[in-house]
Amino acid sequence: AEETLQNDGFVSGAPVTFQAGLIVGEVAAARFVPQNCPCLLTGVTLLFGGSTATRDMGLIVWDDATGSDAPGAELFSGDVTLTGSNVNLYEIDLSLAPVIITGPFRVGLEFGHSGVPTVATDLDGTIDGSANFIQADVGGVLFWFRSSILGVNGDFIIRATVESLSDADGDGLPDDADNCTIRPNPDQRDTDADSFGNACDTDDNDDCIVNAIDLGIFKSVFFTADADADANGDGIVNVIDLGVLK
């Protein structure tokens, strides 16, 4: 199912503020908390105006599970070319290169120019302080701030479209990116690098069939720390791992 995530209250025709104070290298960003993930980020929509000029911008997506001012690991970055409009929302299509999202995330626009055209904020009289951020240049060094600290009093009109994915084992990884879909293994351990996660992999000789030969190999390393036979990664091959073989 597709879901559009937004913090702003903007509706077509409503007044907005274009944040003309942003300069080269700075980032305006919005944090989103999807309800059904893992999911794919397939698009970003924003209001970008103040002039009708065309500008190159950076689009960046980060993990934002910690909820701190600075985001977590970068999940995606790319260049986009945007043409300013004071009334029309601009849609960035990511469906050909969707980003896998497993929880809260942040979408940012990095400026390759100063001033307008620029991102807009709504004027509905409210702002979610935990969802709007600016990475600002302070004496040549970039720091993350909640945008309200810098005097912005509206939510960035930046929206994200996500599409939920199947996650059969509930480990936070979509089935088509999970190396073991029948047992939860968020760490994706694959010590023999055969593309089958240890949590599922009992083919110890990698001949693509589980049989008595694999049982013999397993018995030979029982009660050792053999990594390949250690299905649950607890550092010991024992009856728990035998349960996976069965």
Side-chain angles (χ1 to χ4, degrees):
E2 192 173 85
E3 178 185 11
T4 298
L5 306 173
Q6 66 185 84
N7 305 308
D8 67 89
F10 172 75
V11 295
S12 181
V16 300
T17 298
F18 290 103
Q19 298 296 331
L22 292 158
I23 65 173
V24 173
E26 294 188 331
V27 177
R31 182 176 191 261
F32 302 104
V33 182
Q35 298 302 307
N36 299 298
C37 272
C39 51
L40 292 178
L41 174 63
T42 59
V44 173
T45 304
L46 68 150
L47 187 59
F48 182 77
S51 90
T52 57
T54 298
R55 295 286 186 265
D56 292 329
M57 304 282 286
L59 175 66
I60 310 172
V61 181
W62 298 268
D63 177 87
D64 207 3
T66 65
S68 59
D69 288 353
E74 184 178 297
L75 304 176
F76 171 87
S77 66
D79 296 325
V80 293
T81 301
L82 305 179
T83 299
S85 170
N86 289 355
V87 294
N88 296 321
L89 292 169
Y90 197 101
E91 297 184 6
I92 302 171
D93 184 6
L94 297 176
S95 60
L96 295 180
V99 184
I100 295 176
I101 301 296
T102 59
F105 65 101
R106 190 178 303 189
V107 175
L109 276 298
E110 181 179 5
F111 280 68
H113 66 283
S114 299
V116 295
T118 185
V119 292
T121 52
D122 64 15
L123 285 172
D124 64 2
T126 64
I127 181 173
D128 184 343
S130 65
N132 297 272
F133 299 89
I134 292 174
Q135 189 179 34
D137 186 325
V138 180
V141 181
L142 292 171
F143 295 95
W144 282 102
F145 299 91
R146 296 190 178 203
S147 61
S148 57
I149 298 296
L150 300 180
V152 176
N153 55 17
D155 295 293
F156 285 121
I157 305 173
I158 300 173
R159 302 170 182 176
T161 302
V162 295
E163 182 177 339
S164 59
L165 295 172
S166 175
D167 178 19
D169 58 8
D171 62 2
L173 294 162
D175 290 345
D176 59 2
D178 192 346
N179 64 17
C180 175
T181 59
I182 61 173
R183 292 184 181 86
N185 65 328
D187 62 4
Q188 297 287 281
R189 282 182 69 248
D190 178 18
T191 54
D192 61 0
D194 64 355
S195 298
F196 295 98
N198 282 39
C200 286
D201 188 6
T202 55
D203 180 18
D204 291 332
N205 63 347
D206 291 325
D207 65 354
C208 296
I209 187 168
V210 179
N211 54 22
I213 297 173
D214 301 295
L215 179 58
I217 295 172
F218 184 86
K219 289 171 64 177
S220 72
V221 296
F222 202 67
F223 286 133
T224 74
D226 184 86
D228 293 344
D230 181 13
N232 64 351
D234 64 357
I236 183 72
V237 179
N238 55 23
V239 293
I240 298 175
D241 306 298
L242 179 61
V244 175
L245 179 63
K246 293 169 64 178

